[in-house]
Amino acid sequence: MAETAVKRTGRLLLVPNTLDLGCPDPGTGEAPDLQQVLPLGVIREAARIQHWIAENAKTTRAFLKRVDQVAPLSQPLQAMSIEELPRPAKGGKDAKGDAAGQAAALNSLLVPTHSGHDVGLISEAGLPGVADPGAAVVQAAHKAGIQVVPLSGPSSLVLALAGSGLHGQSFAFVGYLPTDASQRAQRIRELEALSRKAHQTQLVIETPYRNPALWQALLQHLQPQTLLNVSCGLTLSQGFTLTDTVARWRQRELTLPTDVPAVFAWLSA
C-alpha cells in the first residue's frame, strides 16, 4: 500500500527589520550594513520567503533589495507577493461588521500557508508585533493553528532598556503620550507616580519630529530626582543612550534629532 503524503502547512515567520527605517546612516551617508544588525541566518531566511505581509510594500521591497546584496533572493523581486496590512476596524454603528471584515482580511493574508508556503511578517523597524500593528496577524495565525516562528533581531525598546541601566525586571512600554500639552503633562505625572509605586521603568516613543517637544515636557514635569534616559538612533554609527537625573539634565544641553527614532525611559526614586 502506498504511503499517503502528509501535506505540509506553512508557517508565519516574524522577520526583524533594521532600526534605520531605510535611511542612510548620518555618520557615513550610506545604508547601514545589514549584517551588522541582522543575523546571517535571518537574512538567508528572508531571501527564501516568497510571500510577505507588511505595513508598506515599497519599504519592504527596499529591505529585500538589501537582503539580495547579501543572500540572493529565491525569485525575482517582481515575482514576490507582498500584501499590506488592512487598516484597523473603527468603532461605530457597524463595529461588529467591521471587526468581522477585519478578521477575514487578516485570515486572507495567511492563505499561502494552506498550500505549504511560509509567510514572512515584517515591521517598518524592529521586531514584528512589538509596538507594531502586525500583532493582529500573529493573533490570527494562532487562532488558525498556524505555527508562528519569531526570528532574532533588534528591538529598539529592549536595546534602550538594556542600555539605560534602569530597572529591567519590571518595566512597561506605554506607547505614545498625548500631543496636547496639558494632557501630556498629566500623563507624565501619572506614569511617574506609577513608576515610584511599583519601582517600574516606563518607556515611551514619539514621532521623530516631536522628539524635542517630548524631551522638554519630560524635563519640565518629571521630579528632579527621577532618572531619565534617552536612546536615539540605536544601531546607527552616531546612536547613543544616556541616563541622568532630571535635575542634572536641566543643567546640560541636549539637542535631539528630528529625523531619527528615539526611546525615552524613566524610573522614579
Side-chain angles (χ1 to χ4, degrees):
M1 178 192 281
E3 295 184 4
T4 302
V6 178
K7 184 178 180 180
R8 177 184 179 275
T9 301
R11 304 166 296 168
L12 178 66
L13 304 183
L14 311 189
V15 181
N17 202 342
T18 61
L19 302 180
D20 54 56
L21 298 176
C23 299
D25 189 315
T28 64
E30 300 178 355
D33 184 351
L34 210 60
Q35 295 183 81
Q36 294 297 318
V37 183
L38 298 180
L40 180 58
V42 170
I43 297 174
R44 288 172 173 166
E45 193 72 57
R48 183 187 61 79
I49 299 171
Q50 300 177 15
H51 299 269
W52 290 89
I53 303 171
E55 293 180 68
N56 185 297
K58 181 178 179 180
T59 56
T60 299
R61 291 189 188 95
F63 169 79
L64 290 172
K65 288 180 181 178
R66 294 172 70 181
V67 167
D68 191 45
Q69 294 174 356
V70 180
L73 300 178
S74 62
Q75 62 179 14
L77 186 56
Q78 296 80 0
M80 296 278 186
S81 170
I82 304 176
E83 300 290 340
E84 294 187 348
L85 287 167
R87 294 183 178 182
K90 297 181 179 180
K93 294 182 180 179
D94 195 29
K96 185 177 293 185
D98 288 342
Q102 181 81 354
L106 292 172
N107 287 330
S108 70
L109 298 175
L110 298 168
V111 166
T113 64
H114 303 163
S115 301
H117 298 287
D118 287 338
V119 173
L121 173 65
I122 188 168
S123 173
E124 287 292 276
L127 299 176
V130 179
D132 172 71
V137 178
V138 179
Q139 188 178 93
H142 283 298
K143 287 182 178 180
I146 297 168
Q147 183 182 1
V148 175
V149 182
L151 302 178
S152 299
S155 166
S156 61
L157 301 177
V158 175
L159 291 175
L161 178 64
S164 72
L166 304 182
H167 197 201
Q169 294 188 9
S170 179
F171 57 91
F173 170 62
V174 293
Y176 293 85
L177 299 185
T179 56
D180 177 79
S182 61
Q183 294 178 0
R184 182 173 56 203
Q186 179 181 351
R187 183 62 172 151
I188 289 172
R189 289 191 287 266
E190 290 174 351
L191 292 171
E192 185 178 39
L194 176 60
S195 174
R196 185 182 306 111
K197 180 179 180 180
H199 190 52
Q200 182 183 73
T201 300
Q202 304 294 311
L203 297 103
V204 302
I205 56 175
E206 185 51 280
T207 305
Y209 75 86
R210 292 192 182 123
N211 283 341
L214 176 56
W215 180 246
Q216 291 304 316
L218 293 171
L219 293 182
Q220 179 180 355
H221 299 295
L222 290 173
Q223 293 297 309
Q225 71 277 13
T226 293
L227 288 170
L228 174 62
N229 170 271
V230 57
S231 297
C232 188
L234 296 177
T235 72
L236 298 179
S237 63
Q238 294 184 332
F240 61 86
T241 179
L242 298 167
T243 299
D244 211 335
T245 64
V246 170
R248 286 195 288 267
W249 273 124
R250 290 171 179 169
Q251 298 173 1
R252 59 194 285 194
E253 292 289 334
L254 177 66
T255 301
L256 294 179
T258 58
D259 58 351
V260 178
V263 179
F264 304 85
W266 63 90
L267 180 64
S268 179

